[in-house]
Amino acid sequence: MDLSLSQKLTIGYAALVGVGGVMGFLKSGSQKSLVAGGLSAAALSYVFTQLPAQPVYASSIGLGVSTALMGVMGARFKRTGKIFPAGVVTVTSLIMAGGYVHGIIRSGTN
């Protein structure tokens, strides 16, 4: 099975937020990080599976998840100034949001 670039980036993004949630839990005992990271990773894993068959639908879900993460982690970065994890997730989420918008536009014109 050949994966598209969108799928590869999405599964990498899912891994980043999932592992980040586990790290937040292990480092500081934050159950919020564990739940948020797990739910975000699960949603992005679903996006990964749906991208080939329903690109607009999948990209719309991905856009919602990445925008939410960008808002939450961007606010955290602004408050703490810490590059990792808040800054990294914010920038990654911004890039992924752009990619999902591109996917929606591109698929909508076919």
Side-chain angles (χ1 to χ4, degrees), residues 47-62:
V47 168
F48 166 81
T49 66
Q50 296 302 304
L51 276 168
Q54 302 181 72
V56 173
Y57 170 70
S59 293
S60 297
I61 295 170

Side-chain angles (χ1 to χ4, degrees), residues 39-100:
L39 290 175
S40 296
L44 291 166
S45 296
Y46 178 71
V47 168
F48 166 81
T49 66
Q50 296 302 304
L51 276 168
Q54 302 181 72
V56 173
Y57 170 70
S59 293
S60 297
I61 295 170
L63 178 60
V65 172
S66 61
T67 301
L69 285 170
M70 184 173 39
V72 170
M73 297 304 275
R76 185 173 296 166
F77 175 69
K78 186 176 179 183
R79 188 176 65 250
T80 66
K82 292 184 179 179
I83 298 296
F84 190 80
V88 171
V89 173
T90 301
V91 171
T92 304
S93 296
L94 175 64
I95 293 166
M96 291 303 294
Y100 291 127

